[in-house]
Each structure stands twice: as structure tokens, then as C-alpha cells.
Amino acid sequence: MKLTYKNIGVFLVLLFGLQNICAHQMPNSVLQLDVYPQKIVCQIHIPLNEMEMAVSFNLADTTQLNLKNKELTDYLNHHFDLMDVKHQVYFKTLKQIKVETTEQLGTGKYEELIATFDIFTKSHFRSFIVDYNAVIHQVNSHKAMVVVRQDWETGKTGQVNTEVGVIGYNLANNRAGLLTIELGGGSNWQGFKSMVALGMRHISEGTDHLMFLFVLLLTAPLISIAGRWRPNPGIGKSIFKILKISLSFTVGHSITLILATLGVVSFTPGMVEVIIAFSILITAIHAVKPIFPKQETIVAAAFGLIHGLAFSTILQDLHLEKERLLLGLLGFNVGIELMQLVVIIMVIPWLLLISRFSVYNGFKDILAGLAIIASIAWIIERITKKINFISKYLEVFSQHSILFVVFLFLSFVIFSFLKLKKAG
């Protein structure tokens, strides 16, 4: 072939076009399953741009994509079923339809339709069949990934999706294939252990909860004299004060965690988050200059009530059945207390050691000052609902907050050892 500018141009167009196709692969559907003893909640995520190629009705006006749209609800009901292993179809109810903007790895942003089904299984089960061919029946290259988000008996608590299979076009019978899912054996003990782990993880990643307790404990080995902090001469009294503060916080958050999870009390999550940030601000100011001396246990209990409300949102999002809610509540609270105990054990030794030296006031004020800045950033973010540059970094820091506690623990132990060695 003769090399001409025209041929070169065509080649470049094809080359860049191919790169563009490779850079933005087409998104797939996702079926997200929450498994309960006699019910499955299935949330189906379908990319709208793919769905448009498979249906004859209009999808352009997303405000019309709801439960009142008969063409849409008929389509979804017709192309999705769950069956037992004998191919008996379970009764299902389409509960919600909405449209959101999302992004999958390598696809770029796109709009997806999210349909939520309740499927009633009548009896306890661990095996079932997914019959799904929405979009796939017309767009043969399309696939649907099936994941389990929540399954109490195998310890899945909704934090991580577990892929259990992929549904694609089957050339043998010219339709989407059926997917058999074996959940495997499980037990209430597995569910309980997963809730303990969830509680521990929530505290280890909950920077604001850790910061509140940490700042409140900064003044535990001190006493207020004439409006200023002074070292407490009695180590035994300091330990007792630390234990009282920790126990008060535990009692406070345990009460509201139980009441809110059981639906006895209701609250506005956004307001609770603002008050939690405010609790850090107040305790940090108190760490610099006493504003409620000898009242730390009362303050810990009072603000603990607020923190407990925030803890309860994690359990509420799991939508556990009544028979497992109490067990989940117990496990989650045990996890919170275990991680809180780990933090306190790390904190108490260096608190008692370093507070014997005059340099402690400087360390205390620096840490309290950082907490003041962080709390103000959180208050602004939670009121305006806009991330600021400080809260942005705090979000990254939250993934490693427990490592920061370990770092402080080791730093102050080494510092105290060097001080004691020098004094000796």
C-alpha cells in the first residue's frame, strides 16, 4: 500500500480511537446480595448506557425511572428471579428504583439504575440459583457480577463485597446462564466474631472517637490548682482517675448504642457528628486550661452518650433481624471495648511516666492544639457538608490512627527511659 498523508491520518484516527476504547471499557452490571435467614435483599446496579441498547422504552428522563414506571418495573421483574435448587421461583417484591452516578475501575463516571428487590425464601437456606439476563439478552458482551455483601452466618458484615460468580451470555442455549450459589456452612458464632471484629475496626479507624478519649485522658495524671494544671503527686490516684474516665465513657456510649440500635431513641446523624467534633474541641481546650476541673468523668459520660449514637448507625445499616440483633449488638460493643482497652493500655504507661516531668505540659498543649485545629475543621465540614483541606488529610490519617497511638506510646516510653537513665 502506498504511504500517503491520508493513509497516515486514517491510521492515527484508528490508533487513538482504539486507545480511547481501551481506556474506557464498558461497565458491567452488579448484583449485590444481603442474605438473611428467610430473605435475600438484592440490589441490582445496571449501567444506563448499556441498558439503553437492550430496551425499547425511553431511559433519557431519569426522573421517570421509578416504581411508577410500568414498562421499567415489568422489564426488571421479567428478567430477574431467584430460585431454590429445585428451580422453584421465590416470591419477590421490587422495593425501590433510583439512578445514581458511579464509576467502576477503568470505566470513567456513568449513570446507573439501582433496583432493590426483597426475595422471600420461606425457610432457612444456604444454596440458591440466580436467573438474571437483563441487558445480556440483547447485549451479548455484557456481564453481571454477583457479590455477597452481607451474610451473618459466614461472618460477612457488609463492609467488603465477596464475589461469588459472573453471569454472561451462554452460546449453548442463546441466553444468559443460570448461576448456582453455595453460601457454605456458617453459624451464629461466626456472625458474633465478625461483629466483634467490626467493633474493633470501627474504633481503630474512628479518628474522632479515639481523639476525644485521648485528649480527655491527657489531663488524667494532673490536678487543677488555681486554674492551672499541676502534676498529681499520687500515681494511684492518677490510675484511678484514668479508669473512672474510661469507664464513664464506656457506660455513656453503651447506653445510647443499645437504645438507638433497638429503635428506642431516634436522632439526626448529621447533628450527632457535629456534636462529636464539638466534644473534641471542648476537651482539647480543657486540656490546655481547666474549664471543668474534677468533672472529667461526668463529661466523659455525657459526651459518651453522643458517641454511642454514632456507633449505632453501623449496626442500623446492617438491618439485622431481631433474633440476631441482640447478639450483634453484644459482639459490636465487645469489639469497641476491646479496642478501647488496647488504646488505654498503650496510653496509661507513658501518661504516668512523662507527666512526672515538666516537659509534659508542652507535649500536652501541642497535642491539644492539634486536636483543636482538627475539631474545628470537622465542625466546619460537617455543618457545610464540604471537605476542607484539613479534614481531607484527617480522612487519610484515619486509616492509620491506631498506628499513631502506637507511635506516641513508643516515643514517650523511649523519652521516659532516657530521662530516667539521665536522672540516675
Side-chain angles (χ1 to χ4, degrees):
M1 181 179 69
K2 186 178 180 181
L3 187 63
T4 65
Y5 286 112
K6 182 179 180 180
N7 290 335
I8 293 173
V10 171
F11 173 76
L12 291 175
V13 168
L14 290 173
L15 176 63
F16 287 113
L18 181 61
Q19 286 181 336
N20 189 55
I21 291 171
C22 294
H24 296 286
Q25 60 188 13
M26 300 306 292
N28 291 312
S29 296
V30 177
L31 277 65
Q32 193 174 66
L33 306 177
D34 292 337
V35 181
Y36 303 99
Q38 296 182 15
K39 184 177 79 169
I40 295 176
V41 176
C42 180
Q43 194 174 80
I44 304 175
H45 300 247
I46 309 174
L48 276 182
N49 55 358
E50 293 279 283
M51 192 173 180
E52 285 175 344
M53 295 186 285
V55 299
S56 58
F57 52 91
N58 182 28
L59 299 176
D61 186 358
T62 57
T63 61
Q64 299 300 312
L65 303 182
N66 52 49
L67 291 174
K68 296 179 180 179
N69 189 325
K70 189 175 185 304
E71 284 184 304
L72 177 59
T73 56
D74 286 348
Y75 176 83
L76 293 170
N77 278 305
H78 180 69
H79 290 280
F80 168 67
D81 276 309
L82 251 61
M83 306 179 289
D84 63 19
V85 292
K86 296 180 180 179
H87 290 246
Q88 294 296 311
V89 176
Y90 292 130
F91 175 76
K92 68 179 185 290
T93 302
L94 182 54
K95 300 290 291 185
Q96 185 187 54
I97 298 175
K98 61 182 179 179
V99 176
E100 290 184 357
T101 301
T102 189
E103 184 175 4
Q104 292 180 10
L105 183 63
T107 63
K109 291 184 178 180
Y110 62 92
E111 286 189 318
E112 68 175 2
L113 182 133
I114 304 174
T116 303
F117 283 91
D118 282 353
I119 300 99
F120 300 93
T121 59
K122 296 182 181 180
S123 61
H124 190 74
F125 66 101
R126 299 303 293 166
S127 302
F128 56 93
I129 299 171
V130 180
D131 182 5
Y132 177 85
N133 67 342
V135 180
I136 302 172
H137 68 103
Q138 290 291 341
V139 185
N140 298 160
S141 60
H142 191 76
K143 296 184 183 301
M145 182 171 65
V146 183
V147 300
V148 174
R149 182 176 63 175
Q150 182 178 331
D151 179 18
W152 168 273
E153 293 190 19
T154 53
K156 297 178 179 66
T157 56
Q159 304 299 301
V160 178
N161 289 331
T162 302
E163 183 178 334
V164 291
V166 177
I167 299 174
Y169 192 76
N170 189 341
L171 291 174
N173 55 13
N174 293 320
R175 59 155 291 163
L178 302 179
L179 176 66
T180 300
I181 295 178
E182 299 281 350
L183 294 173
S187 65
N188 281 330
W189 174 240
Q190 290 288 343
F192 178 78
K193 287 196 301 182
S194 71
M195 296 307 298
V196 173
L198 182 62
M200 294 183 70
R201 185 165 64 249
H202 183 65
I203 288 297
S204 67
E205 296 175 356
T207 310
D208 48 358
H209 302 298
L210 281 176
M211 190 176 293
F212 171 75
L213 183 61
F214 178 75
V215 174
L216 197 58
L217 290 174
L218 281 176
T219 61
L222 306 175
I223 55 175
S224 174
I225 300 176
R228 298 185 65 182
W229 290 115
R230 296 283 186 257
N232 192 335
I235 293 181
K237 290 182 178 180
S238 295
I239 293 175
F240 184 63
K241 186 178 178 181
I242 289 172
L243 293 177
K244 283 201 303 180
I245 290 173
S246 304
L247 182 60
S248 296
F249 182 64
T250 295
V251 170
H253 73 64
S254 295
I255 290 172
T256 47
L257 172 60
I258 294 170
L259 294 178
T261 301
L262 297 178
V264 178
V265 297
S266 58
F267 60 96
T268 304
M271 182 57 65
V272 166
E273 294 299 326
V274 172
I275 297 174
I276 287 175
F278 182 73
S279 72
I280 298 169
L281 176 62
I282 294 298
T283 52
I285 294 173
H286 173 70
V288 176
K289 185 175 178 62
I291 56 177
F292 45 85
K294 300 181 181 179
Q295 304 298 317
E296 288 86 0
T297 54
I298 296 175
V299 171
F303 280 127
L305 294 171
I306 304 300
H307 285 248
L309 294 176
F311 293 153
S312 71
T313 59
I314 303 297
L315 282 176
Q316 290 171 350
D317 289 343
L318 295 180
H319 303 290
L320 295 174
E321 315 87 338
K322 291 181 181 179
E323 59 267 27
R324 288 173 173 171
L325 182 58
L326 291 177
L327 193 59
L329 181 58
L330 175 62
F332 186 71
N333 206 35
V334 167
I336 288 175
E337 305 316 324
L338 284 175
M339 184 53 68
Q340 186 175 299
L341 183 62
V342 169
V343 172
I344 290 171
I345 290 173
M346 290 180 182
V347 168
I348 286 178
W350 67 258
L351 273 180
L352 297 177
L353 286 170
I354 199 72
S355 64
R356 304 295 99 189
F357 305 104
S358 58
V359 73
Y360 180 71
N361 271 329
F363 276 117
K364 170 182 66 64
D365 290 346
I366 290 173
L367 293 174
L370 292 174
I372 289 172
I373 294 172
S375 63
I376 292 173
W378 273 324
I379 290 172
I380 294 172
E381 178 196 38
R382 292 169 185 180
I383 290 176
T384 63
K385 302 188 185 304
K386 293 181 180 179
I387 297 176
N388 52 67
F389 76 97
I390 296 176
S391 62
K392 178 181 177 181
Y393 288 109
L394 287 170
E395 181 68 24
V396 176
F397 173 75
S398 67
Q399 306 301 319
H400 310 285
S401 54
I402 195 66
L403 295 179
F404 179 67
V405 174
V406 174
F407 170 75
L408 286 177
F409 169 71
L410 294 175
S411 298
F412 284 114
V413 166
I414 294 170
F415 175 82
S416 302
F417 174 76
L418 293 175
K419 275 284 186 180
L420 290 172
K421 186 176 181 181
K422 184 177 179 181

